């Protein structure tokens, strides 16, 4: 008879395996969730103004489609509060499984939704409802995934571990844009508008199943498991009473990354095709390559942030975005594919530098007892104030003023808000960024 080995397992190897699964769960699950969220944005820019919001005026149809895109962001703070509360009470892992199931279900439902021509006003009404469900799920997704990665990380690698969640956002957009790019190249316009646009939404059935499997096997965050189990006030109440200044300033510093991402990846897609004569396939290729740069630079920026401090990297990124705001539209208006690609790749690199430290900055600002609620509320409030309605606001500014300069000025104003918010965090912000505020986890 062969006896089972009684030799102790290598704890270093176990730690590596555990960390790999944690990072895979954070990155894979968040990528899939944001893929679901972003395919709506791409479809809103290219398809939905015709399928769900028909209008004799193309600009009005696009404006309405972007308004529905922004509607999903209305629910994100509510999702942040409810899912964050449950995550602070019952753990990060169960909430991450729940959010991916809810997001996936809503996305698949959009994929089978009849058009306006088939059921009239019910089509856009149901689309908005499903968009609200997507927003609710997204509200609780990012915070839980970021904490699962960061709370498992060694103290000197917090930002790099958090980058796996941060990089999931541009990767998700890369995937969504790639799918639409392939569909546009494979189908004629009639087929794309009739049924082809549904394919990216229905693909979620497979990827959601993979995400649930991966996340179900991840151990709970060690910091959450070690926290005191004594009765506490509701996390939201604690956040609003103990951290009001922190919430306000973290919303302010986060707002620029969300806004700039959606302006660059959603609004510019529509603007360039409608106003600069650039083909939609060319702009999709620009967003695909720009998203790849964004994802790669997120890891580079996170590595630098662990070495020289999150504040420094953040300042470089936001300043770069401000300086690039006006040149971006000047270059897009030339219609030159090479020039547009170059400026968007540079813009994505700056956005990555600003975005990479956000998860660690926010996590370090709240105690473990209310951290899920705190960072989710700050991040999602910034998303709705800046990012969610950014394409709508940009289109409204363009329509009302007749000039792209108003949109560029909007970008610069938000950069200034974020820079001022970061600086006003003062000593607490410096400690949160440059030191391992969260206890080191072996």
């Amino acid at each position: 008879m062969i006896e089972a080995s009684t030799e102790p397992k290598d704890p270093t190897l176990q730690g590596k395996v555990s960390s790999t699964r944690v990072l895979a769960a954070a990155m894979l699950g968040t990528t899939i969730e944001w893929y679901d969220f972003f395919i709506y944005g791409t479809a809103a820019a290219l398809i939905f103004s015709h399928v769900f919001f028909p209008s004799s005026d193309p600009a009005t149809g696009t404006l309405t489609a972007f308004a529905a895109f922004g509607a999903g962001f209305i629910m994100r703070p509510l999702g942040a509060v409810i899912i964050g509360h449950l995550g602070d009470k019952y753990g990060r892992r169960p909430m991450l499984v729940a959010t991916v199931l809810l997001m996936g279900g809503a996305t698949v439902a959009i994929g089978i939704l009849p058009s306006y021509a088939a059921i009239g006003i019910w089509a856009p009404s149901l689309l908005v409802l499903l968009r609200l469900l997507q927003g609710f799920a997204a509200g609780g997704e990012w915070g839980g995934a970021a904490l699962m990665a960061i709370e498992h990380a060694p103290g000197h690698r917090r930002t790099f571990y958090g980058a796996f969640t941060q990089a999931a956002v541009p990767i998700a957009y890369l995937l969504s844009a790639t799918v639409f790019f392939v569909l546009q190249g494979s189908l004629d316009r009639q087929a794309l508008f009739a049924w082809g646009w549904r394919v990216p939404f229905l693909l979620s059935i497979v990827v959601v199943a993979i995400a649930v499997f991966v996340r179900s096997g991840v151990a709970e965050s060690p910091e959450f498991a070690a926290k005191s189990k004594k009765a506490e006030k509701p996390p939201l109440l604690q956040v609003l009473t103990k951290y009001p200044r922190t919430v306000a300033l973290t919303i302010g510093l986060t707002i620029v990354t969300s806004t700039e991402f959606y302006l660059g990846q959603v609004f510019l897609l529509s603007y360039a095709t409608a106003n600069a004569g650039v083909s939609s396939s060319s702009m999709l290729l620009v967003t695909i390559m720009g998203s790849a740069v964004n994802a790669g630079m997120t890891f580079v920026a996170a590595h630098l942030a662990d070495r020289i401090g999150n504040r420094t990297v953040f300042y470089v990124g936001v300043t770069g975005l401000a300086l690039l705001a006006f040149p971006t539209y000047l270059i897009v208006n030339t219609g030159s594919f090479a020039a547009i690609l170059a400026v968007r790749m540079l813009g994505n690199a700056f956005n990555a530098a600003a975005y990479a430290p956000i998860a660690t900055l926010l996590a370090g600002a709240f105690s473990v007892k209310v951290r899920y609620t705190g960072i989710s509320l700050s991040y999602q409030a910034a998303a709705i104030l800046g990012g969610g309605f950014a394409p709508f606001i940009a289109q409204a500014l363009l329509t009302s003023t007749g000039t792209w300069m108003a949109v560029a000025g909007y970008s610069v104003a938000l950069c200034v808000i974020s820079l001022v918010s970061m600086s006003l965090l003062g000593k607490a912000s410096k400690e949160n960024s440059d030191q391992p505020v969260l206890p080191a986890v072996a």
Side-chain angles (χ1 to χ4, degrees), residues 81-391:
V81 170
I82 294 177
I83 298 172
H85 169 82
L86 296 174
D88 281 326
K89 187 173 183 180
Y90 299 109
R92 289 42 168 141
R93 185 179 64 176
M95 293 304 101
L96 290 179
V97 173
T99 56
V100 77
L101 285 172
L102 180 58
M103 176 73 83
T107 301
V108 172
I110 291 176
I112 61 175
L113 188 63
S115 68
Y116 185 93
I119 61 174
I121 194 63
W122 282 104
S125 299
L126 290 172
L127 179 67
V128 171
L129 176 61
L130 292 170
R131 182 64 180 165
L132 293 175
L133 291 177
Q134 281 190 322
F136 182 85
E141 160 63 25
W142 178 85
L147 291 183
M148 184 63 76
I150 293 172
E151 291 179 350
H152 276 88
H156 65 290
R157 300 291 281 165
R158 296 287 185 185
T159 305
F160 186 75
Y161 271 54
F164 281 81
T165 303
Q166 304 299 82
V169 177
I171 289 173
Y173 196 87
L174 187 155
L175 292 176
S176 67
T178 299
V179 171
F180 274 101
F181 181 78
V182 172
L183 288 172
Q184 280 198 329
S186 305
L187 302 173
D188 58 33
R189 180 181 174 85
Q190 182 177 358
L192 180 65
F193 280 73
W195 60 267
W197 67 267
R198 300 180 184 276
V199 173
F201 293 87
L202 297 177
L203 285 175
S204 291
I205 295 175
V206 177
V207 293
V208 166
I210 297 172
V212 170
F213 172 77
V214 173
R215 286 188 164 180
S216 297
V218 174
E220 183 55 82
S221 157
E223 291 190 39
F224 173 82
K227 78 167 190 172
S228 171
K229 299 300 190 294
K230 69 178 182 179
E232 298 277 358
K233 294 179 181 179
L236 178 62
L237 182 60
Q238 293 187 62
V239 167
L240 295 179
T241 56
K242 295 182 179 180
Y243 300 94
R245 180 174 180 271
T246 299
V247 170
L249 294 178
T250 50
I251 290 173
L253 72 90
T254 305
I255 198 170
V256 68
T257 56
S258 180
T259 301
E260 289 298 319
F261 185 83
Y262 289 111
L263 285 179
Q265 306 297 72
V266 177
F267 173 74
L268 268 182
L269 182 61
S270 173
Y271 174 85
T273 56
N275 298 278
V278 185
S279 68
S280 58
S281 59
S282 294
M283 284 307 297
L284 277 174
L285 187 58
V286 168
T287 61
I288 288 169
M289 298 179 71
S291 295
V293 169
N294 198 319
M297 286 301 298
T298 296
F299 289 105
V300 174
H303 175 72
L304 288 173
D306 278 327
R307 294 174 64 88
I308 66 175
N310 289 325
R311 283 164 59 90
T312 301
V313 173
F314 179 84
Y315 281 137
V316 169
V318 178
T319 301
L321 289 172
L323 294 175
L324 206 60
F326 283 86
T328 293
Y329 289 91
L330 286 171
I331 291 173
V332 169
N333 286 331
T334 68
S336 167
F337 174 79
I340 294 172
L341 177 62
V343 76
R344 287 304 304 138
M345 291 179 74
L346 184 58
N348 275 280
F350 282 129
N351 190 271
Y355 189 55
I358 292 293
T360 309
L361 283 168
L362 268 59
F366 300 94
S367 72
V368 67
K369 294 181 292 185
V370 299
R371 189 175 290 152
Y372 200 148
T373 301
I375 74 168
S376 296
L377 180 62
S378 296
Y379 186 88
Q380 304 306 341
I384 190 174
L385 292 173
F389 287 99

Side-chain angles (χ1 to χ4, degrees), residues 31-84:
T31 298
I32 291 169
E33 283 232 39
W34 286 106
Y35 164 82
D36 287 354
F37 202 71
F38 286 147
I39 53 176
Y40 182 96
T42 305
L46 302 176
I47 306 291
F48 284 172
S49 61
H50 304 279
V51 176
F52 291 106
F53 305 101
S55 171
S56 57
D57 178 12
T60 301
T62 300
L63 194 63
T64 308
F66 281 157
F69 173 76
F73 286 76
I74 294 175
M75 293 293 286
R76 282 171 65 168
L78 182 61
V81 170
I82 294 177
I83 298 172

